[in-house]
């Protein structure tokens, strides 16, 4: 089971109901993606998931694990955990699977509004920002600046039913596949933006002329 959130670094928290389908798949998919694109730098972004009604200690749902394997990742030793006030408060960015989950996160941590979004909402807000590049001395500062910028453009977007990733828990494997497709299409662009910010200092240094 995951332990307390890291004292330093940038932490992204993914939230659903039981933490065995949507948020579990998102966490392990995101981890595999970051490991692939960032290699040794992948630890710059810590991915954590939890459930508002967490099936504590349970492995990922077999159907979600099957879908995850189709994307080249796996549940492995994943174990579900319960969302707590502490976990919500320590995250730098919270992405929930539905608006109901977002409300529960904010009930636990009312001060976290500016960094708490549904996953699909966050992806849209990132699109509204375009190529916006936050200022900052290091990755953590720039990443938090990006989250702040997302919150600032929130008023330009109208929320609707499309903000939710439907719960596949009682459905066939096809329902888990549909949830997986929605998560891939929304989470990976967000992680891609963060990954580009992780790599930026190295790229800038490589491009600098030698003296």
């Amino acid at each position: 089971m995951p332990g307390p959130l890291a004292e330093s670094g940038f932490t992204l928290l993914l939230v659903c109901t039981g933490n065995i389908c949507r948020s579990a798949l998102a966490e392990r998919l995101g981890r595999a993606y970051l490991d692939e694109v960032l290699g040794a730098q992948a630890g710059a972004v810590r991915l954590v998931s939890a459930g508002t009604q967490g099936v504590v200690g349970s492995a990922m749902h077999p159907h979600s694990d099957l879908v995850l394997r189709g994307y080249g990742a796996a549940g492995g030793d994943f174990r579900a955990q319960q969302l707590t006030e502490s976990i919500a408060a320590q995250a730098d960015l919270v992405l929930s699977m539905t608006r109901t989950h977002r409300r529960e996160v904010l009930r636990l941590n009312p001060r976290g509004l500016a960094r708490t979004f549904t996953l699909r909402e966050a992806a849209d807000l990132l699109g509204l920002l375009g190529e916006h590049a936050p200022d900052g001395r290091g990755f953590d500062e720039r990443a938090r600046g990006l989250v702040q910028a997302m919150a600032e453009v929130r008023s330009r977007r109208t929320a609707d039913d499309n903000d939710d990733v439907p719960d596949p828990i009682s459905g066939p494997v096809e329902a888990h596949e549909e949830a997986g497709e929605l998560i891939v299409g929304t989470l990976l662009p967000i992680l891609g933006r963060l990954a580009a910010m992780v790599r930026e200092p190295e790229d800038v240094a490589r491009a600098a002329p030698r003296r």
Side-chain angles (χ1 to χ4, degrees):
M1 183 182 304
L5 302 193
E7 289 90 6
S8 61
F10 184 87
T11 298
L12 193 165
L13 170 64
L14 298 146
V15 178
C16 72
T17 304
N19 191 212
I20 58 173
C21 295
R22 292 165 290 180
S23 62
L25 185 151
E27 178 197 321
R28 289 304 168 101
L29 175 71
R31 184 75 272 149
Y33 172 81
L34 290 174
D35 287 346
E36 180 179 349
V37 299
L38 290 177
Q41 293 179 295
V45 181
R46 181 163 190 249
L47 290 179
V48 179
S49 65
T52 58
Q53 300 174 45
V55 189
V56 178
S58 294
M60 188 180 299
H61 190 289
H63 287 349
S64 287
D65 188 40
L66 180 63
V67 171
L68 185 59
R69 290 177 185 276
Y71 287 109
D77 61 354
F78 178 87
R79 293 295 180 268
Q81 67 172 343
Q82 175 65 34
L83 177 68
T84 65
E85 179 181 356
S86 176
I87 291 174
Q90 293 180 61
D92 296 292
L93 172 60
V94 182
L95 301 177
S96 69
M97 295 297 139
T98 70
R99 291 160 293 170
T100 299
H101 298 137
R102 183 180 61 196
R103 286 194 293 271
E104 179 61 16
V105 172
L106 293 176
R107 185 189 70 78
L108 292 171
N109 182 37
R111 295 183 179 182
L113 177 61
R115 59 180 186 273
T116 303
F117 311 86
T118 69
L119 175 58
R120 300 180 75 172
E121 174 191 19
D124 282 354
L125 293 175
L126 202 61
L128 288 175
L129 286 175
E131 298 302 316
H132 173 77
D135 294 329
R137 291 176 178 268
F139 164 70
D140 292 352
E141 188 174 331
R142 293 196 306 279
R144 292 176 184 127
L146 180 65
V147 174
Q148 180 180 346
M150 289 164 59
E152 290 171 354
V153 298
R154 195 177 229 158
S155 61
R156 293 166 50 188
R157 180 182 179 275
T158 301
D160 57 32
D161 290 342
N162 289 330
D163 275 354
D164 294 348
V165 176
D167 190 355
I169 185 68
S170 300
V173 68
E174 289 79 9
H176 292 257
E177 290 173 344
E178 291 174 4
E181 289 174 1
L182 286 172
I183 290 167
V184 167
T186 48
L187 178 62
L188 296 193
I190 296 169
L191 294 181
R193 179 71 69 91
L194 292 172
M197 295 167 68
V198 171
R199 293 191 302 260
E200 187 176 59
E202 180 181 348
D203 294 340
V204 170
R206 187 182 298 120
R210 296 188 178 184
R211 298 183 179 181

